[in-house]
mmCIF file of all heavy atoms in Angstrom:
data_model
loop_
_atom_site.group_PDB
_atom_site.id
_atom_site.type_symbol
_atom_site.label_atom_id
_atom_site.label_comp_id
_atom_site.label_asym_id
_atom_site.label_seq_id
_atom_site.Cartn_x
_atom_site.Cartn_y
_atom_site.Cartn_z
ATOM 1 N N LYS D 146 -186.606 62.948 -145.594
ATOM 2 C CA LYS D 146 -187.029 61.549 -145.523
ATOM 3 C C LYS D 146 -187.787 61.262 -144.225
ATOM 4 O O LYS D 146 -188.306 60.176 -144.045
ATOM 5 C CB LYS D 146 -185.805 60.644 -145.609
ATOM 6 C CG LYS D 146 -185.105 60.755 -146.943
ATOM 7 C CD LYS D 146 -183.884 59.898 -146.991
ATOM 8 C CE LYS D 146 -183.186 60.089 -148.342
ATOM 9 N NZ LYS D 146 -181.929 59.395 -148.407
ATOM 10 N N THR D 147 -187.850 62.233 -143.340
ATOM 11 C CA THR D 147 -188.504 62.056 -142.064
ATOM 12 C C THR D 147 -190.015 62.245 -142.205
ATOM 13 O O THR D 147 -190.463 63.115 -142.938
ATOM 14 C CB THR D 147 -187.982 63.091 -141.036
ATOM 15 O OG1 THR D 147 -186.566 63.072 -141.070
ATOM 16 C CG2 THR D 147 -188.460 62.781 -139.643
ATOM 17 N N VAL D 148 -190.765 61.425 -141.490
ATOM 18 C CA VAL D 148 -192.225 61.534 -141.502
ATOM 19 C C VAL D 148 -192.641 62.417 -140.330
ATOM 20 O O VAL D 148 -192.147 62.266 -139.218
ATOM 21 C CB VAL D 148 -192.872 60.134 -141.376
ATOM 22 C CG1 VAL D 148 -194.382 60.242 -141.282
ATOM 23 C CG2 VAL D 148 -192.458 59.254 -142.535
ATOM 24 N N MET D 149 -193.548 63.348 -140.606
ATOM 25 C CA MET D 149 -194.008 64.262 -139.559
ATOM 26 C C MET D 149 -194.952 63.531 -138.608
ATOM 27 O O MET D 149 -195.853 62.821 -139.038
ATOM 28 C CB MET D 149 -194.733 65.463 -140.176
ATOM 29 C CG MET D 149 -195.252 66.436 -139.135
ATOM 30 S SD MET D 149 -196.076 67.877 -139.840
ATOM 31 C CE MET D 149 -197.493 67.165 -140.622
ATOM 32 N N GLU D 150 -194.721 63.727 -137.335
ATOM 33 C CA GLU D 150 -195.626 63.206 -136.305
ATOM 34 C C GLU D 150 -196.971 63.922 -136.476
ATOM 35 O O GLU D 150 -197.009 65.152 -136.475
ATOM 36 C CB GLU D 150 -195.040 63.472 -134.919
ATOM 37 C CG GLU D 150 -195.933 63.138 -133.759
ATOM 38 C CD GLU D 150 -196.243 61.662 -133.645
ATOM 39 O OE1 GLU D 150 -195.321 60.850 -133.830
ATOM 40 O OE2 GLU D 150 -197.406 61.349 -133.373
ATOM 41 N N PRO D 151 -198.088 63.200 -136.634
ATOM 42 C CA PRO D 151 -199.392 63.850 -136.866
ATOM 43 C C PRO D 151 -199.811 64.834 -135.770
ATOM 44 O O PRO D 151 -200.508 65.802 -136.044
ATOM 45 C CB PRO D 151 -200.373 62.674 -136.938
ATOM 46 C CG PRO D 151 -199.544 61.484 -137.254
ATOM 47 C CD PRO D 151 -198.179 61.744 -136.682
ATOM 48 N N ALA D 152 -199.367 64.611 -134.548
ATOM 49 C CA ALA D 152 -199.765 65.486 -133.439
ATOM 50 C C ALA D 152 -198.912 66.754 -133.346
ATOM 51 O O ALA D 152 -199.233 67.653 -132.571
ATOM 52 C CB ALA D 152 -199.691 64.718 -132.117
ATOM 53 N N LEU D 153 -197.835 66.840 -134.139
ATOM 54 C CA LEU D 153 -196.911 67.977 -134.029
ATOM 55 C C LEU D 153 -197.569 69.335 -134.265
ATOM 56 O O LEU D 153 -197.358 70.259 -133.468
ATOM 57 C CB LEU D 153 -195.713 67.786 -134.963
ATOM 58 C CG LEU D 153 -194.645 68.876 -134.930
ATOM 59 C CD1 LEU D 153 -194.059 69.039 -133.518
ATOM 60 C CD2 LEU D 153 -193.545 68.571 -135.930
ATOM 61 N N PRO D 154 -198.381 69.523 -135.312
ATOM 62 C CA PRO D 154 -198.990 70.850 -135.509
ATOM 63 C C PRO D 154 -199.819 71.314 -134.297
ATOM 64 O O PRO D 154 -199.661 72.450 -133.845
ATOM 65 C CB PRO D 154 -199.856 70.673 -136.754
ATOM 66 C CG PRO D 154 -199.193 69.564 -137.512
ATOM 67 C CD PRO D 154 -198.682 68.626 -136.453
ATOM 68 N N MET D 155 -200.661 70.456 -133.756
ATOM 69 C CA MET D 155 -201.476 70.862 -132.602
ATOM 70 C C MET D 155 -200.603 71.048 -131.364
ATOM 71 O O MET D 155 -200.856 71.931 -130.550
ATOM 72 C CB MET D 155 -202.601 69.860 -132.329
ATOM 73 C CG MET D 155 -203.536 70.307 -131.203
ATOM 74 S SD MET D 155 -204.207 72.007 -131.350
ATOM 75 C CE MET D 155 -205.526 71.784 -132.488
ATOM 76 N N PHE D 156 -199.552 70.250 -131.228
ATOM 77 C CA PHE D 156 -198.614 70.432 -130.118
ATOM 78 C C PHE D 156 -198.037 71.843 -130.146
ATOM 79 O O PHE D 156 -197.984 72.523 -129.122
ATOM 80 C CB PHE D 156 -197.487 69.391 -130.202
ATOM 81 C CG PHE D 156 -196.347 69.643 -129.256
ATOM 82 C CD1 PHE D 156 -196.451 69.318 -127.909
ATOM 83 C CD2 PHE D 156 -195.177 70.221 -129.715
ATOM 84 C CE1 PHE D 156 -195.401 69.561 -127.036
ATOM 85 C CE2 PHE D 156 -194.118 70.470 -128.852
ATOM 86 C CZ PHE D 156 -194.225 70.136 -127.502
ATOM 87 N N LEU D 157 -197.626 72.302 -131.326
ATOM 88 C CA LEU D 157 -197.052 73.642 -131.454
ATOM 89 C C LEU D 157 -198.095 74.723 -131.174
ATOM 90 O O LEU D 157 -197.791 75.738 -130.545
ATOM 91 C CB LEU D 157 -196.424 73.821 -132.834
ATOM 92 C CG LEU D 157 -195.188 72.949 -133.085
ATOM 93 C CD1 LEU D 157 -194.793 72.992 -134.554
ATOM 94 C CD2 LEU D 157 -194.038 73.355 -132.188
ATOM 95 N N VAL D 158 -199.327 74.504 -131.623
ATOM 96 C CA VAL D 158 -200.403 75.460 -131.336
ATOM 97 C C VAL D 158 -200.608 75.558 -129.823
ATOM 98 O O VAL D 158 -200.670 76.654 -129.256
ATOM 99 C CB VAL D 158 -201.725 75.041 -132.028
ATOM 100 C CG1 VAL D 158 -202.894 75.884 -131.533
ATOM 101 C CG2 VAL D 158 -201.597 75.168 -133.538
#
Side-chain angles (χ1 to χ4, degrees):
K146 295 178 182 174
T147 311
V148 176
M149 179 179 65
E150 173 65 42
L153 182 58
M155 184 51 80
F156 170 78
L157 293 169
V158 170

